[in-house]
Amino acid sequence: MQLGKIVLSLATIFLGGNCIAEDKIRVIDADTAKGIKAYIDKIDKNYTKQRVSATGQDGYLVKEFSCEILEKIIVTPINHRAYYYDSYDCPIKKKIISLKSNKRQRNLVKNAQSSFHKGDFGTAALAYTEAAFRLSSTNQSRQEYIELEVKAYDSIAHYLSIEESTVFDTKQNKPVMSQKLKKAILDFQVQKGLKTTGELDFQTLSTVSSKTLSEVLFYSPPDQK
């Protein structure tokens, strides 16, 4: 799933077998590209955790640190309630580290719930799919993103009038899209002249949704009574 994915510039600097993180490394908001203040912790080969640096208000690294193969860094936002943390294997390959917003994740889920309640199943599918993708790309709860994925399938099944949205796949140990739903999506894509992937790709979700991705990301609907 490529929905919502931001392309990052990659670069690695090797000195004496180490990867040295220069002050050009930056931690940003994945949606706005604004800098984020964050702590940089390193877990070494002996599984010892040590704080090695941090970023300033502009998101740029304030102190260099070494990062060797088999070590890992953890990037934790200082305002931990606003963003999800993330971790990276060494040597560090990312000059730009983007963290995803908790607030916008909540907006997505609230918009999905509100849209489904109103019968706007296409928008619900868009919001649930984006929420599931964002959570799956972080080191957060696997069960939660699976539940969001299932809700996305259920939403598009309602939109396409398909009763069976998922079946359980023992190999993946989770519910996956049913063949009936996959065929219905393929038929819809053919009908609309879209690329026939049989998946909930961005083009398909944009077609079924009454709202744009920006609308469900940055707007929080009022709580339902």
Side-chain angles (χ1 to χ4, degrees), residues 3-220:
L3 182 59
K5 188 173 183 180
I6 295 181
V7 178
L8 303 175
S9 60
L10 305 179
T12 304
I13 300 175
F14 292 99
L15 290 176
N18 288 357
C19 175
I20 305 300
E22 294 186 328
D23 59 356
K24 291 183 179 180
I25 285 180
R26 192 180 186 215
V27 179
I28 63 170
D29 182 303
D31 299 300
T32 67
K34 292 182 179 179
I36 298 174
K37 294 179 68 176
Y39 296 119
I40 310 295
D41 296 312
K42 182 173 72 173
I43 299 177
D44 64 22
K45 299 173 185 177
N46 298 317
Y47 303 103
T48 301
K49 185 177 179 181
Q50 176 188 7
R51 183 147 294 165
V52 293
S53 190
T55 59
Q57 190 70 42
D58 57 3
Y60 285 103
L61 201 69
V62 298
K63 178 184 176 183
E64 294 182 357
F65 62 91
S66 62
C67 188
E68 301 178 355
I69 294 174
L70 300 182
E71 295 182 331
K72 176 179 288 189
I73 67 162
I74 300 175
V75 182
T76 306
I78 292 177
N79 184 358
H80 65 278
R81 295 183 178 180
Y83 294 91
Y84 293 108
Y85 74 90
D86 213 342
S87 63
Y88 302 88
D89 292 329
C90 298
I92 303 169
K93 297 179 180 179
K94 295 187 176 183
K95 285 290 188 178
I96 303 296
I97 295 174
S98 58
L99 300 182
K100 296 178 176 63
S101 164
N102 277 319
K103 179 180 178 180
R104 284 185 278 282
Q105 183 74 2
R106 291 194 296 271
N107 286 352
L108 286 167
V109 174
K110 286 186 69 175
N111 272 294
Q113 293 170 338
S114 176
S115 297
F116 193 93
H117 179 73
K118 295 175 181 177
D120 186 358
F121 303 122
T123 300
L126 170 68
Y128 275 132
T129 301
E130 177 68 9
F133 169 76
R134 285 168 173 254
L135 209 56
S136 70
S137 63
T138 66
N139 294 286
Q140 315 303 318
S141 169
R142 179 178 185 270
Q143 184 58 40
E144 187 177 349
Y145 93 71
I146 289 174
E147 290 173 358
L148 290 170
E149 193 175 57
V150 168
K151 289 179 179 179
Y153 293 152
D154 189 45
S155 298
I156 196 66
H158 275 74
Y159 182 90
L160 297 172
S161 301
I162 302 297
E163 292 185 3
E164 183 184 55
S165 60
T166 61
V167 294
F168 192 82
D169 187 326
T170 55
K171 291 184 179 179
Q172 298 185 56
N173 193 32
K174 70 170 188 174
V176 297
M177 184 188 299
S178 70
Q179 287 302 311
K180 290 182 180 179
L181 180 55
K182 189 177 186 71
K183 183 180 182 304
I185 292 174
L186 281 167
D187 290 343
F188 176 81
Q189 290 168 336
V190 170
Q191 178 187 357
K192 296 296 182 179
L194 306 175
K195 185 177 179 180
T196 52
T197 62
E199 303 292 338
L200 294 183
D201 54 67
F202 183 68
Q203 189 178 32
T204 301
L205 288 164
S206 297
T207 302
V208 301
S209 178
S210 67
K211 296 181 180 179
T212 65
L213 181 57
S214 293
E215 288 178 295
V216 294
L217 266 178
F218 295 101
Y219 170 74
S220 181

